Amino acid sequence: MNYQGIVKFIGQKESIADGVDKQTIVLEENTDREFKGSLAVDFFRDKIQLLENVKVGDMVTVHLNTRCNESKNQPGRYFNSITCWRIESGAQSAPAQGSNDDLPF
């Protein structure tokens, strides 16, 4: 799954359970809507280095994995996990379309 947005926030790198590092960014959707939505995306372990050249205000496209997990401490309680495995800077253009000169008639 892909999501394109403007980087609104870049969190600090933090260590979580078992020495795993995590860093979170928040992306604001790139639309003309009055009330824009945002999405928090987590980067783990070696994927944190993908954020080295990213700064607040950048337009990025993130490639995501989404998962639903059940809480270990509260059975029956679920939460979503959104992690990034690839990030691209700048707006992505639409795929090139063939010109009308290519038509067979």
Side-chain angles (χ1 to χ4, degrees), residues 42-97:
D42 296 326
F43 293 73
F44 288 94
R45 298 183 175 94
D46 61 330
K47 299 303 180 193
I48 292 172
Q49 68 186 350
L50 298 174
L51 295 173
E52 288 178 355
N53 297 317
V54 175
K55 57 187 179 308
V56 172
D58 285 354
M59 171 72 70
V60 297
T61 299
V62 289
H63 300 261
L64 307 171
N65 290 328
T66 59
R67 289 187 176 81
C68 179
N69 301 298
E70 185 173 13
S71 172
K72 293 177 183 175
N73 300 329
Q74 299 176 6
R77 178 137 187 168
Y78 293 87
F79 62 95
N80 292 318
S81 172
I82 303 171
T83 60
C84 183
W85 55 272
R86 182 175 168 197
I87 188 167
E88 299 170 4
S89 296
Q92 299 298 306
S93 59
Q97 301 292 323

